[in-house]
Amino acid sequence: MPAPVPAPAPAPASGSPIYESLVSKHGDVVAESRRAAQETQREADRLLHFAPRDGRDGKS
């Protein structure tokens, strides 16, 4: 099981009332997308970077 992913820090306030209103209504979608991308990257790295159990690369 992969290690738990820490919650991303919220994006800094932009000073934009529209952006702040959207974040308050819908959550910080940018931070959530970033978290999902990082988690996907870690999972892909875990699945793609493995060594055979016997230590050989499978080439003969």
Side-chain angles (χ1 to χ4, degrees):
M1 177 179 271
V5 178
S14 65
S16 168
I18 295 171
Y19 178 80
E20 292 171 10
S21 173
L22 289 171
V23 169
S24 69
K25 288 180 183 177
H26 302 286
D28 194 341
V29 176
V30 174
E32 286 298 314
S33 297
R34 186 179 301 114
R35 182 202 56 77
Q38 290 169 341
E39 186 176 333
T40 301
Q41 182 66 50
R42 278 192 293 277
E43 182 70 5
D45 287 344
R46 184 185 70 78
L47 294 171
L48 296 174
H49 295 99
F50 63 91
R53 292 177 188 230
D54 64 4
R56 295 183 292 179
D57 64 3
K59 297 177 185 173
S60 297

